[in-house]
Amino acid sequence: MENLSAGQKLDQAFDKLGEERSLSFELDLDTDVASLKALDAEMAEPGEEMTEEVAELLSDARISVSVQSKKPLEKSGEKDFSAMAMKFSGPEGDLFEYRLVGDWTYLRVDAEALGRMSGSPMPSADELPDSAGAFKKLLAGEWLKVSTKELEETGEQMSGAEGAGAGEPSAEPTLDAKTQKKLMKALRQVVAQEVDFKTSGGSDGIEHIKATAPFRTLMTELFDELRLVQKELPAGAELPTAKDFADAPNKKVTADFTLKNGELTEVSLDLAELAETAKVKKFALVLRVGKGEKAAAPAGATEVRIDEILENFFGGAGAAFGEEDFGDEGFVEDYPQG
């Protein structure tokens, strides 16, 4: 009964998320520098090991996302979202931020901090002439804004250029209600068979549900079920097979779901057991869920056009790094001027 009860509680918690019109998510790594470097040492080629600065950045990195919709999220299409915001933060604060508000898309970046952490320092905005335009403002950490419609049109033009001569692109396949129900039933059967649930209560309406399963077995069976509706998935979507998971560890991984008064507030997925070295002591993905705050348009943003951004970026980069890299014989040669 405990398995059924826990599964029902999780189903209800996820259903509640779909009924919301605004949500926020924060994803971060619960790890430390030593564990990251130990994990990297297993995969990195000699001489390409992760630096201390990058390890520090990733160990404290957070991705925050907030969305608002005119409809419940489970029924929302792309045109129903009225505002979105995404932010990438590190130990020194916000490194990149993006907002979609009304008809405008806003963005800014801490280029100095990113360059310092990656070991590839960027020039100071003061070193660039005013003619560097958007690139200079970007390096200065200022907000830029561009028409969302223009962004969409540019994306469509680029997609059209890539598919030129192939006729009109076909509509992306979608899952009808009957297929969705069939798929969800199959996936829930896999979870019921392979996942062990344990529940524990707490104070103030808080409850923890821990779901544990062997990694390789669970992933293999989940994708076996997904293949039943592969024809309905977007063209080109290749699903991994059992052979692809053959070398994956089959150690058990645990996801800890935190519910408060029946609502999902946090998910922690412990992946340390999958590491092939005991030096990886701490490695988990943590997702926190909250009520979405409406994204606001930042004050003082500079309006730019897509062609201005490209032109000023190339020009600003040339001024920053030298004409030998961006002059007639260099980088610009690969980008025909229109």
Side-chain angles (χ1 to χ4, degrees):
M1 291 297 292
E2 186 179 31
N3 279 12
L4 179 61
S5 175
Q8 286 179 330
K9 289 176 180 178
L10 286 179
D11 282 345
Q12 291 174 0
F14 281 106
D15 287 342
K16 286 183 178 180
L17 290 182
E19 295 168 1
E20 297 286 350
R21 293 173 184 257
S22 64
L23 279 178
S24 64
F25 304 89
E26 182 179 272
L27 178 67
D28 68 42
L29 282 174
D30 183 14
T31 186
D32 52 41
V33 172
S35 291
L36 277 176
K37 295 192 76 172
L39 189 63
D40 177 68
E42 295 181 9
M43 303 176 287
E45 297 291 333
E48 298 182 2
E49 293 84 358
M50 183 183 295
T51 65
E52 192 80 13
E53 290 77 12
V54 171
E56 289 179 1
L57 168 63
L58 294 178
S59 66
D60 284 325
R62 298 180 309 283
I63 297 176
S64 305
V65 178
S66 181
V67 296
Q68 294 83 39
S69 176
K70 302 170 187 175
K71 298 179 181 179
L73 293 175
E74 65 180 356
K75 299 178 181 178
S76 295
E78 184 178 345
K79 297 185 180 299
D80 296 316
F81 290 100
S82 57
M84 298 183 188
M86 190 278 283
K87 183 166 56 178
F88 176 63
S89 306
E92 298 189 21
D94 299 337
L95 300 174
F96 173 81
E97 191 168 359
Y98 155 96
R99 297 182 193 176
L100 191 157
V101 184
D103 297 329
W104 297 96
T105 296
Y106 302 82
L107 66 91
R108 70 172 174 179
V109 62
D110 187 340
E112 181 183 355
L114 279 174
R116 186 168 59 252
M117 292 175 184
S118 66
S120 301
M122 296 292 288
S124 168
D126 296 335
E127 299 174 20
L128 299 182
D130 291 339
S131 60
F135 189 68
K136 181 181 177 75
K137 291 181 180 294
L138 186 79
L139 291 182
E142 296 182 22
W143 280 101
L144 302 180
K145 74 173 186 178
V146 64
S147 164
T148 301
K149 182 179 180 180
E150 185 185 352
L151 275 177
E152 293 173 348
E153 290 174 348
T154 301
E156 290 173 359
Q157 290 171 2
M158 294 176 67
S159 298
E162 291 173 0
E168 290 293 324
S170 59
E172 291 187 4
T174 57
L175 297 179
D176 58 52
K178 183 178 179 180
T179 304
Q180 288 184 43
K181 289 182 179 180
K182 178 181 178 181
L183 177 59
M184 290 307 299
K185 181 180 179 181
L187 295 181
R188 284 175 176 173
Q189 286 178 344
V190 172
V191 171
Q193 292 170 0
E194 302 298 338
V195 180
D196 293 325
F197 292 101
K198 290 186 179 180
T199 61
S200 60
S203 58
D204 300 325
I206 294 178
E207 184 174 22
H208 289 274
I209 299 177
K210 289 190 175 183
T212 304
F215 178 75
R216 187 199 318 136
T217 300
L218 181 63
M219 297 303 293
T220 300
E221 296 196 11
L222 284 176
F223 279 102
D224 282 347
E225 295 298 335
L226 281 174
R227 261 185 291 280
L228 297 176
V229 294
Q230 186 167 11
K231 292 181 179 179
E232 305 295 331
L233 298 178
E238 294 293 334
L239 297 178
T241 65
K243 184 178 179 181
D244 295 318
F245 289 112
D247 295 329
N250 209 32
K251 295 178 180 179
K252 291 186 176 181
V253 294
T254 298
D256 188 342
F257 298 86
T258 302
L259 277 59
K260 183 171 184 179
N261 298 325
E263 296 186 356
L264 183 67
T265 60
E266 182 175 303
V267 183
S268 177
L269 180 61
D270 188 355
L271 300 173
E273 287 294 322
L274 298 183
E276 297 180 2
T277 172
K279 292 181 180 180
V280 178
K281 303 291 185 183
K282 184 180 181 184
F283 192 81
L285 288 174
V286 181
L287 177 68
R288 299 179 183 87
V289 184
K291 301 295 183 183
E293 296 183 3
K294 188 172 182 179
T302 300
E303 180 181 345
V304 296
R305 293 180 56 82
I306 296 297
D307 53 0
E308 284 182 82
I309 293 178
L310 294 175
E311 180 182 348
N312 290 331
F313 273 26
F314 292 148
F321 296 105
E323 295 300 327
E324 66 274 10
D325 294 323
F326 292 87
D328 294 337
E329 302 299 325
F331 187 76
V332 174
E333 216 174 36
D334 295 328
Y335 290 82
Q337 303 300 308

